[in-house]
Amino acid sequence: MAKPTFYITTPIYYPNDKLHIGHSYTTVAADAMARYKRLRGYDVMYLTGTDEHGQKIQLRAAEAGKPVMQFLDEIIEWIKDLWDKLDISYDDFIRTTEPRHTKVVEEIFERLIDQGDIYLSDYEGWYCTPCESFWAERELVEGKCPDCGREVQYVSEESYFFRMSKYVDRLLQFYEEHPDFIQPESRKNEMINNFIKPGLKDLCVSRTSFDWGIPVRRDPKHVVYVWLDALTNYITAIGYGSDDPKMRAKFEKYWPADVHFVGKEIVRFHVIYWPIILMALGLPLPKKVYGHGFLLMKDGKMSKSKGNVIDPKLLIDRYGSDAIRYFLLREIPFGQDGVFTPEALVERLNFDLANDFGNLVHRTAAMLHRFVGGRVPLPGARTDAEEELAELAGQTLRDLEQHMDEMQFSVALADIWRLIRAANKYIDDMAPWALHKRGDEERLRTVMYTVAETIRLVSVWVQPFIPRAGLQVLEQYGIAPEFRTWESTRTFGAPIGQSPVEQRPPLFPRLDVDEELEALAGLTRGRDGAPASRATDAEAAGHGAKQEGQRVESTATPTGVQTKETIGIDVFDQVELRVGQIRAADRVPNADKLLRLEVDLGAETRQIVSGIAKHFQPEELIGKKVVVVVNLKPVKLRGVASNGMILAASTEEQLQLVTVPDFMPNGAVVK
RNA sequence: GGCGGCGUAGCUCAGCUGGUCAGAGCACACGGUUCAUACCCGUGGCGUCGGUGGUUCGAAUCCACCCGCCGCCA
């Protein structure tokens, strides 16, 4: 019998800028689901991609002085590299500029006109070019764009429209027959009350005001506008409308999709317009649309103007993909918003990954070597303690599967960690070192086997979330392939005795909290202090979502000592350095590494927190003339405000402040 | 303004259709342990479950109103 299929998608992202950690969240969640389903024996199709049309792309490319396709290719390369770094196991990556997509969209459009679902009319309204948004007269704020506050133009444009109203009754009936279609449920009411009950408006599906898009075949001054282009990626990618019979078979195999993961801001398009488009095409509807929440920063949504956008690659480089994946999936209840704080990140990594899981694996390997010759021993008779752990393992598997089916990743991880904690506790209760000392070989073997077996189960289960660590432990513990399968974890007591176990360095390093908080403060300070061109926030994910981020610069070839991208003098010039004199210094309570400094900059005296307490006594700093970055965004470290940064040179062991001769006045510019 | 949601220990949050539901993790205090990444284990204090009324034998859990946040829409 053929394997059951599972088709899962992320939104296609709008590549007018680099993506941020919010996009990574959607993609990581979908990846965890895809990996889970593969482990469960499904034939999985996991699709992601990019939505590459629209005026804003065109404008961005022009700003960058590049041909549009070149501009896009460079960003797509960056995005694919990000997914590689995050271990995203997508099966296909669709770009809406590919012929397999554009050709089919053209045909769909023709067909829908012929069917009478699409008709020609006029679109009137106020248009904000940067936001690519139309506004009704009454929506304007003092005649300006309500989103960004900039000028809008009145436009009257001939447009094609999709007759949505025709399908409303069928849509409502579908909702009723498929109560789980929209997740979380609360979104469903919003949709019905806000869009459907008041009367669903026809959707504008073409534009004549720009030409970076798929032309309408019979009327090429029009290009297909956003949703009919973007949403259809979910079917064109798997072969809908293809000339190739193999691809058509693929479509038959995977459609309808099992779930579309989307950010909550685009739920509406996926649960109203997309089903209606599919009805018009006579295709079955997707089984589920899951609108997840946003990853917020402490001070609200991520946005460039707040300087709180984090480049995911910097995080991955520092902590590794497993760590970032774990944090995203554990910290944010799927469907709700979650908050990114440096403290939460470091604590999750230290407590859950290093202390609980990593240490369990590490201490067990050490004991296996020290007590029983470096192999998983053969167990003797079980006692109540072993039965209890086995029982908990069985319960954990049941809970885990249930929560994964509900797509509650954070709860599923909590389930696994409950067993990890129990295993750590079991070790303490059984005290193998005491058994060893006492010479109780049979008990010792039983205990060590039981711990190894628990580690085996956990390592299999953990793979959808942190694939590297899971696989690494299975290899370290010499687990045979047949005991790495999901099904094999239904039994506690697999014959893994005699497997040779390696001693390896800890899976996850324990992080120094102060050091990391300071480093993360640096990462979130936003590296291009330029004020954002508009106030809209970078949304977590989505078609046409309004995103601010860094423009992709041409890729520099690092040479010699250089490891970062080459920057222009204009970028460096944004950093304001001045001479400052340390007037006072004392330790920050509850922090090993932090000193609170008062620095005299001539015109003012500022408080700056610096992570140099390991290298200096507070007294010896008084009077020193140092170089201060004065235009850094203020941050709080351990609750103490820091309004700048002191420059220092450092190696692994040493650290010296960059100092200036005493005759230079406080406040003098350094450049 | 309309619709919806939320407000539970210092922090982040679980608590479905009312009766061991007053909980978990972190933080804090004390104790234990040494295999391990100063790690793990145990014990303990802490909460008027946003406020006020009401339904009920009994409400964090249902209802009404109020306060404060938030989401979608207008």
Side-chain angles (χ1 to χ4, degrees):
Chain A
M1 204 177 98
K3 285 182 180 180
T5 61
F6 188 79
Y7 180 28
I8 180 170
T9 68
T10 72
I12 48 175
Y13 303 109
Y14 200 61
N16 64 330
D17 263 313
K18 290 180 180 178
L19 306 185
H20 56 66
I21 192 77
H23 303 100
S24 305
Y25 171 55
T26 315
T27 309
V28 163
D31 187 64
M33 199 36 136
R35 287 175 182 271
Y36 169 71
K37 287 291 180 178
R38 288 193 199 104
L39 276 171
R40 293 298 307 273
Y42 285 76
D43 177 345
V44 171
M45 174 69 205
Y46 173 19
L47 178 71
T48 187
T50 42
D51 173 20
E52 305 191 354
H53 292 124
Q55 188 169 26
K56 192 151 51 174
I57 294 278
Q58 209 169 8
L59 289 174
R60 286 285 185 158
E63 279 168 28
K66 291 174 184 171
V68 181
M69 274 317 290
Q70 183 192 333
F71 172 81
L72 285 168
D73 286 346
E74 287 171 7
I75 299 193
I76 298 331
E77 189 184 344
W78 186 94
I79 292 173
K80 286 185 170 175
D81 178 59
L82 171 61
W83 297 154
D84 286 348
K85 281 184 155 68
L86 266 177
D87 298 312
I88 304 301
S89 63
Y90 59 83
D91 295 293
D92 200 352
F93 187 109
I94 186 156
R95 300 178 55 175
T96 56
T97 47
E98 293 176 72
R100 61 168 167 163
H101 179 73
T102 56
K103 170 188 161 285
V104 179
V105 171
E106 285 176 30
E107 288 166 0
I108 288 174
F109 207 95
E110 291 299 305
R111 175 175 158 194
L112 293 177
I113 298 175
D114 291 341
Q115 282 181 197
D117 286 310
I118 290 181
Y119 62 93
L120 192 60
S121 181
D122 286 309
Y123 197 104
E124 295 177 0
W126 296 89
Y127 188 65
C128 175
T129 306
C131 299
E132 281 192 55
S133 299
F134 275 93
W135 304 102
E137 180 86 42
R138 64 176 182 285
E139 291 176 303
L140 299 179
V141 178
E142 292 167 13
K144 305 265 174 76
C145 171
D147 249 19
C148 68
R150 282 180 290 199
E151 296 292 336
V152 290
Q153 289 121 24
Y154 184 78
V155 290
S156 171
E157 197 182 322
E158 182 187 86
S159 282
Y160 284 93
F161 286 83
F162 193 111
R163 220 181 289 280
M164 290 287 159
S165 45
K166 177 174 157 191
Y167 293 94
V168 165
D169 291 343
R170 278 174 65 187
L171 185 63
L172 285 172
Q173 188 187 344
F174 178 80
Y175 288 169
E176 231 168 79
E177 288 165 3
H178 302 83
D180 294 334
F181 175 62
I182 307 175
Q183 292 289 325
E185 176 122 27
S186 60
R187 304 261 161 229
K188 181 156 80 179
N189 298 327
E190 286 182 7
M191 294 304 136
I192 295 177
N193 292 335
N194 290 325
F195 298 102
I196 298 181
K197 274 190 190 162
L200 188 56
K201 294 193 195 96
D202 288 352
L203 182 70
C204 171
V205 290
S206 82
R207 281 293 144 82
T208 55
S209 54
F210 61 91
D211 61 3
W212 184 247
I214 301 173
V216 173
R217 209 173 264 178
R218 73 179 68 181
D219 195 357
K221 66 177 182 291
H222 286 263
V223 294
V224 179
Y225 179 63
V226 191
W227 296 105
L228 202 68
D229 175 7
L231 291 165
T232 46
N233 91 86
Y234 299 132
I235 54 178
T236 61
I238 56 170
Y240 178 75
S242 171
D243 298 329
D244 181 348
K246 267 193 204 155
M247 289 304 292
R248 299 173 86 107
K250 185 174 182 182
F251 177 75
E252 291 304 321
K253 178 175 174 187
Y254 288 113
W255 192 257
D258 291 86
V259 60
H260 295 306
F261 275 14
V262 298
K264 62 184 180 184
E265 83 284 9
I266 51 172
V267 166
R268 165 182 156 198
F269 303 101
H270 283 79
V271 303
I272 297 177
Y273 301 134
W274 179 226
I276 288 179
I277 292 170
L278 288 167
M279 286 176 188
L281 293 173
L283 293 173
L285 308 195
K287 295 173 192 165
K288 199 183 285 284
V289 172
Y290 203 113
H292 65 72
F294 291 150
L295 180 61
L296 306 175
M297 304 302 287
K298 218 172 198 167
D299 46 356
K301 283 186 191 173
M302 276 177 264
S303 88
K304 201 177 191 185
S305 56
K306 288 178 186 165
N308 62 3
V309 176
I310 297 188
D311 179 345
K313 288 189 184 179
L314 296 176
L315 285 178
I316 300 162
D317 288 344
R318 191 173 183 91
Y319 300 107
S321 69
D322 274 355
I324 302 307
R325 291 171 62 104
Y326 179 81
F327 175 77
L328 292 173
L329 294 167
R330 177 67 185 81
E331 191 67 15
I332 307 166
F334 204 58
Q336 296 178 41
D337 291 343
V339 179
F340 178 98
T341 65
E343 289 85 353
L345 174 65
V346 176
E347 286 176 1
R348 281 287 174 212
L349 303 191
N350 268 350
F351 298 139
D352 296 359
L353 295 182
N355 291 356
D356 291 343
F357 183 45
N359 190 48
L360 173 66
V361 169
H362 192 252
R363 70 195 295 211
T364 303
M367 283 190 282
L368 287 168
H369 275 264
R370 193 187 282 204
F371 302 146
V372 294
R375 286 173 182 271
V376 177
L378 295 167
R382 282 190 192 178
T383 68
D384 287 351
E386 285 76 45
E387 294 298 346
E388 270 173 37
L389 199 58
E391 171 59 34
L392 181 62
Q395 186 59 47
T396 300
L397 178 58
R398 289 190 289 277
D399 292 346
L400 174 61
E401 290 182 340
Q402 184 195 328
H403 291 131
M404 283 307 283
D405 290 342
E406 294 167 357
M407 301 183 209
Q408 290 297 319
F409 302 109
S410 63
V411 183
L413 280 168
D415 293 333
I416 299 176
W417 256 255
R418 197 179 52 203
L419 183 64
I420 290 172
R421 292 206 177 86
N424 273 321
K425 180 166 156 46
Y426 171 79
I427 292 174
D428 271 49
D429 291 345
M430 296 302 115
W433 49 91
L435 296 172
H436 175 67
K437 209 178 266 179
R438 202 187 303 145
D440 188 343
E441 290 301 321
E442 181 178 342
R443 271 309 286 160
L444 180 61
R445 283 191 283 104
T446 306
V447 169
M448 291 315 300
Y449 167 86
T450 302
V451 177
E453 173 68 350
T454 307
I455 288 174
R456 180 197 140 238
L457 301 186
V458 167
S459 303
V460 171
W461 295 338
V462 106
Q463 289 186 97
F465 311 96
I466 46 175
R468 284 172 190 244
L471 181 60
Q472 193 180 318
V473 175
L474 291 169
E475 285 173 353
Q476 181 183 352
Y477 277 70
I479 304 299
E482 63 266 38
F483 302 121
R484 294 184 187 188
T485 66
W486 192 272
E487 286 310 306
S488 75
T489 64
R490 296 198 192 283
T491 311
F492 190 100
I496 56 168
Q498 300 306 318
S499 306
V501 175
E502 295 171 38
Q503 281 190 286
R504 292 191 184 183
L507 274 179
F508 300 98
R510 197 175 153 78
L511 304 169
D512 182 289
V513 177
D514 296 334
E515 203 172 287
E516 298 310 322
L517 293 188
E518 204 181 352
L520 285 164
L523 295 186
T524 52
R525 268 163 170 153
R527 293 163 303 159
D528 73 347
S533 53
R534 57 194 170 94
T536 54
D537 296 314
E539 307 294 346
H543 308 282
K546 299 147 192 164
Q547 293 145 1
E548 289 290 340
Q550 280 138 352
R551 216 170 308 143
V552 173
E553 303 295 344
S554 60
T555 315
T557 311
T559 52
V561 300
Q562 184 184 333
T563 57
K564 294 184 181 173
E565 274 181 45
T566 297
I567 59 172
I569 186 71
D570 53 322
V571 175
F572 178 75
D573 204 44
Q574 290 170 4
V575 180
E576 186 173 354
L577 301 170
R578 288 182 184 270
V579 172
Q581 186 169 25
I582 298 175
R583 296 293 190 192
D586 48 51
R587 293 183 185 281
V588 173
N590 302 319
D592 297 339
K593 301 206 152 190
L594 302 181
L595 290 183
R596 190 191 68 85
L597 309 174
E598 283 174 28
V599 182
D600 181 351
L601 292 161
E604 59 171 311
T605 297
R606 284 201 195 175
Q607 173 171 290
I608 292 175
V609 176
S610 188
I612 56 175
K614 291 237 164 105
H615 303 275
F616 298 99
Q617 294 303 317
E619 315 75 84
E620 63 183 301
L621 292 171
I622 311 274
K624 291 221 176 192
K625 294 249 186 185
V626 295
V627 178
V628 180
V629 184
V630 296
N631 63 335
L632 265 186
K633 186 185 166 202
V635 293
K636 278 194 172 182
L637 297 171
R638 285 288 156 135
V640 182
S642 180
N643 304 301
M645 185 171 91
I646 310 281
L647 297 190
S650 64
T651 64
E652 291 280 316
E653 307 83 28
Q654 296 176 305
L655 185 144
Q656 280 300 321
L657 296 180
V658 174
T659 56
V660 175
D662 286 344
F663 59 77
M664 285 308 293
N666 295 338
V669 171
V670 179
K671 52 192 276 189

Coordinates of all heavy atoms in Angstrom, one line a residue, chain A residues 431-469:
Chain A
A431 N 21.5 6.3 41.7 CA 22.9 6.5 42.1 C 23.8 5.4 41.6 O 24.3 4.7 42.4 CB 23.0 6.7 43.6
P432 N 23.9 5.3 40.3 CA 24.8 4.2 39.7 C 26.2 4.2 40.3 O 26.8 3.1 40.4 CB 24.8 4.6 38.2 CG 23.7 5.5 37.9 CD 23.4 6.2 39.2
W433 N 26.7 5.4 40.6 CA 28.0 5.4 41.2 C 28.1 4.7 42.6 O 29.1 4.0 42.9 CB 28.5 6.9 41.4 CG 27.5 7.7 42.1 CD1 27.3 8.0 43.4 CD2 26.4 8.4 41.5 NE1 26.3 8.8 43.7 CE2 25.7 9.1 42.5 CE3 26.0 8.6 40.2 CZ2 24.5 9.9 42.3 CZ3 24.9 9.4 39.9 CH2 24.2 10.0 40.9
A434 N 27.0 4.7 43.3 CA 26.9 4.0 44.5 C 26.8 2.5 44.2 O 27.5 1.6 44.9 CB 25.7 4.4 45.4
L435 N 26.0 2.1 43.2 CA 25.9 0.7 42.8 C 27.3 0.2 42.4 O 27.7 -1.0 42.7 CB 24.9 0.5 41.7 CG 23.5 0.9 42.0 CD1 22.6 0.9 40.7 CD2 22.9 0.0 43.0
H436 N 28.0 1.0 41.7 CA 29.3 0.6 41.2 C 30.3 0.4 42.4 O 31.0 -0.6 42.5 CB 29.9 1.7 40.3 CG 31.3 1.5 39.9 ND1 31.6 0.5 39.0 CD2 32.4 2.1 40.1 CE1 32.9 0.5 38.8 NE2 33.4 1.5 39.5
K437 N 30.2 1.3 43.3 CA 31.1 1.2 44.5 C 30.8 -0.1 45.3 O 31.7 -0.8 45.8 CB 30.9 2.4 45.4 CG 32.2 2.8 46.2 CD 31.9 4.1 47.0 CE 32.4 5.3 46.3 NZ 32.1 6.6 47.0
R438 N 29.5 -0.3 45.4 CA 29.0 -1.5 46.2 C 29.2 -2.8 45.4 O 29.1 -3.9 46.0 CB 27.5 -1.2 46.4 CG 27.0 -2.0 47.6 CD 25.4 -1.8 47.6 NE 25.0 -0.4 47.7 CZ 23.9 0.1 47.1 NH1 23.2 -0.7 46.4 NH2 23.6 1.4 47.1
G439 N 29.4 -2.7 44.1 CA 29.6 -3.9 43.3 C 28.4 -4.6 43.0 O 28.3 -5.8 42.7
D440 N 27.2 -3.9 42.9 CA 26.0 -4.5 42.6 C 25.8 -4.4 41.0 O 25.2 -3.6 40.5 CB 24.8 -3.7 43.2 CG 23.5 -4.4 43.1 OD1 23.4 -5.3 42.2 OD2 22.5 -4.1 43.8
E441 N 26.5 -5.4 40.4 CA 26.6 -5.3 38.9 C 25.3 -5.4 38.2 O 25.0 -4.7 37.2 CB 27.5 -6.5 38.4 CG 29.0 -6.3 38.8 CD 29.6 -5.0 38.2 OE1 29.2 -4.7 37.0 OE2 30.3 -4.4 38.9
E442 N 24.4 -6.3 38.7 CA 23.1 -6.5 37.9 C 22.3 -5.2 38.0 O 21.8 -4.7 36.9 CB 22.3 -7.6 38.5 CG 21.0 -7.8 37.6 CD 20.1 -8.9 38.0 OE1 20.6 -9.8 38.7 OE2 19.0 -8.9 37.7
R443 N 22.2 -4.6 39.2 CA 21.4 -3.4 39.3 C 22.0 -2.3 38.4 O 21.4 -1.5 37.7 CB 21.3 -2.9 40.7 CG 20.1 -3.4 41.5 CD 18.8 -3.2 40.8 NE 18.3 -1.9 40.8 CZ 17.4 -1.4 40.0 NH1 16.9 -2.2 39.1 NH2 16.9 -0.2 40.1
L444 N 23.4 -2.2 38.5 CA 24.1 -1.2 37.7 C 23.8 -1.3 36.3 O 23.5 -0.4 35.6 CB 25.6 -1.3 38.0 CG 26.5 -0.3 37.2 CD1 26.1 1.1 37.6 CD2 27.9 -0.6 37.5
R445 N 23.8 -2.6 35.8 CA 23.6 -2.8 34.3 C 22.1 -2.4 34.0 O 21.9 -1.7 33.0 CB 23.8 -4.2 33.9 CG 25.3 -4.6 33.8 CD 25.6 -5.9 33.2 NE 25.3 -7.0 34.2 CZ 24.3 -7.8 34.1 NH1 23.3 -7.6 33.2 NH2 24.2 -8.8 35.0
T446 N 21.2 -2.8 34.8 CA 19.8 -2.4 34.6 C 19.6 -0.9 34.5 O 18.9 -0.4 33.6 CB 18.9 -3.1 35.7 OG1 19.2 -4.5 35.7 CG2 17.4 -2.8 35.3
V447 N 20.2 -0.3 35.5 CA 20.0 1.2 35.6 C 20.6 1.9 34.4 O 20.0 2.7 33.7 CB 20.6 1.8 36.9 CG1 20.6 3.3 36.8 CG2 19.8 1.3 38.1
M448 N 21.8 1.5 34.0 CA 22.5 2.1 32.9 C 21.8 1.9 31.6 O 21.6 2.7 30.7 CB 24.0 1.7 32.8 CG 24.8 2.2 34.0 SD 24.6 4.0 34.4 CE 25.0 4.8 32.9
Y449 N 21.3 0.6 31.5 CA 20.5 0.3 30.3 C 19.3 1.2 30.2 O 18.9 1.7 29.1 CB 20.1 -1.2 30.2 CG 19.1 -1.4 29.2 CD1 19.5 -1.7 27.9 CD2 17.7 -1.4 29.5 CE1 18.5 -1.9 26.9 CE2 16.8 -1.6 28.5 CZ 17.2 -1.8 27.2 OH 16.2 -2.0 26.2
T450 N 18.6 1.3 31.3 CA 17.3 2.0 31.3 C 17.5 3.5 30.9 O 16.7 4.1 30.2 CB 16.7 1.9 32.7 OG1 16.5 0.5 33.0 CG2 15.4 2.7 32.8
V451 N 18.6 4.1 31.4 CA 18.9 5.5 31.1 C 19.2 5.6 29.6 O 18.7 6.4 28.9 CB 20.1 6.0 31.9 CG1 20.4 7.4 31.4 CG2 19.7 6.0 33.4
A452 N 20.0 4.7 29.1 CA 20.4 4.7 27.7 C 19.1 4.5 26.8 O 19.0 5.2 25.8 CB 21.4 3.6 27.4
E453 N 18.3 3.6 27.2 CA 17.0 3.4 26.4 C 16.2 4.7 26.4 O 15.6 5.0 25.4 CB 16.3 2.2 27.0 CG 14.9 2.0 26.4 CD 14.9 1.5 25.0 OE1 16.0 1.5 24.4 OE2 13.9 1.1 24.5
T454 N 16.1 5.4 27.5 CA 15.3 6.6 27.6 C 15.9 7.6 26.7 O 15.2 8.3 25.9 CB 15.3 7.1 29.0 OG1 14.8 6.1 29.9 CG2 14.4 8.3 29.1
I455 N 17.3 7.7 26.7 CA 18.0 8.7 25.8 C 17.7 8.3 24.3 O 17.5 9.2 23.5 CB 19.5 8.6 26.1 CG1 19.8 9.3 27.4 CG2 20.3 9.3 24.9 CD1 21.2 9.2 27.9
R456 N 17.6 7.1 24.0 CA 17.3 6.6 22.7 C 15.9 7.2 22.3 O 15.7 7.8 21.2 CB 17.3 5.1 22.6 CG 17.0 4.5 21.3 CD 16.6 3.0 21.4 NE 15.5 2.8 20.5 CZ 14.3 2.3 20.9 NH1 14.0 2.0 22.1 NH2 13.4 2.1 20.0
L457 N 14.9 7.0 23.1 CA 13.6 7.4 22.7 C 13.5 8.9 22.5 O 13.0 9.5 21.5 CB 12.6 7.1 23.9 CG 12.4 5.6 24.2 CD1 11.3 5.4 25.2 CD2 12.2 4.8 23.0
V458 N 14.1 9.6 23.5 CA 14.1 11.1 23.4 C 14.8 11.6 22.1 O 14.4 12.5 21.5 CB 14.8 11.7 24.7 CG1 15.1 13.1 24.5 CG2 13.9 11.5 25.9
S459 N 15.9 10.9 21.8 CA 16.7 11.4 20.6 C 15.9 11.2 19.3 O 16.0 12.0 18.4 CB 18.0 10.6 20.5 OG 18.7 10.8 21.7
V460 N 15.1 10.1 19.3 CA 14.3 9.9 18.1 C 13.2 11.0 18.1 O 13.0 11.7 17.1 CB 13.6 8.5 18.1 CG1 12.5 8.4 17.0 CG2 14.6 7.4 18.0
W461 N 12.6 11.2 19.2 CA 11.4 12.2 19.2 C 11.8 13.6 18.9 O 11.1 14.4 18.4 CB 10.8 12.1 20.6 CG 10.1 10.8 20.9 CD1 9.7 9.8 20.0 CD2 9.8 10.3 22.2 NE1 9.2 8.8 20.7 CE2 9.2 9.0 22.0 CE3 10.0 10.7 23.5 CZ2 8.8 8.2 23.1 CZ3 9.5 9.9 24.6 CH2 9.0 8.7 24.3
V462 N 13.0 13.9 19.3 CA 13.5 15.3 19.3 C 13.9 15.7 17.9 O 14.0 16.9 17.5 CB 14.7 15.4 20.3 CG1 16.0 15.4 19.6 CG2 14.4 16.4 21.3
Q463 N 14.0 14.7 17.0 CA 14.5 15.0 15.6 C 13.7 16.0 14.8 O 14.3 16.8 14.1 CB 14.7 13.7 14.9 CG 15.8 12.9 15.4 CD 16.1 11.7 14.5 OE1 17.0 11.7 13.7 NE2 15.4 10.6 14.8
P464 N 12.4 16.0 14.9 CA 11.7 17.0 14.1 C 12.1 18.4 14.5 O 12.1 19.4 13.7 CB 10.2 16.8 14.4 CG 10.1 15.4 14.8 CD 11.4 15.1 15.5
F465 N 12.4 18.6 15.8 CA 12.7 19.9 16.3 C 14.2 20.3 16.2 O 14.5 21.4 15.7 CB 12.3 20.0 17.8 CG 10.9 19.5 18.0 CD1 10.7 18.1 18.4 CD2 9.8 20.2 17.8 CE1 9.4 17.6 18.6 CE2 8.5 19.7 18.0 CZ 8.3 18.4 18.4
I466 N 15.0 19.5 16.7 CA 16.4 19.7 16.7 C 17.1 18.5 16.0 O 17.7 17.7 16.7 CB 17.0 20.0 18.1 CG1 16.5 19.0 19.1 CG2 16.6 21.4 18.6 CD1 17.1 19.1 20.5
P467 N 17.1 18.5 14.7 CA 17.5 17.3 14.0 C 19.0 16.9 14.2 O 19.3 15.8 14.3 CB 17.2 17.6 12.5 CG 17.0 19.1 12.5 CD 16.5 19.5 13.8
R468 N 19.8 18.0 14.3 CA 21.2 17.7 14.4 C 21.5 16.9 15.7 O 22.2 15.9 15.8 CB 22.0 19.0 14.4 CG 22.2 19.5 13.0 CD 22.8 20.9 13.1 NE 22.7 21.5 11.8 CZ 23.8 21.8 11.1 NH1 25.0 21.6 11.5 NH2 23.6 22.3 9.9
A469 N 21.0 17.5 16.8 CA 21.3 16.9 18.1 C 20.7 15.5 18.2 O 21.4 14.6 18.7 CB 20.7 17.8 19.2

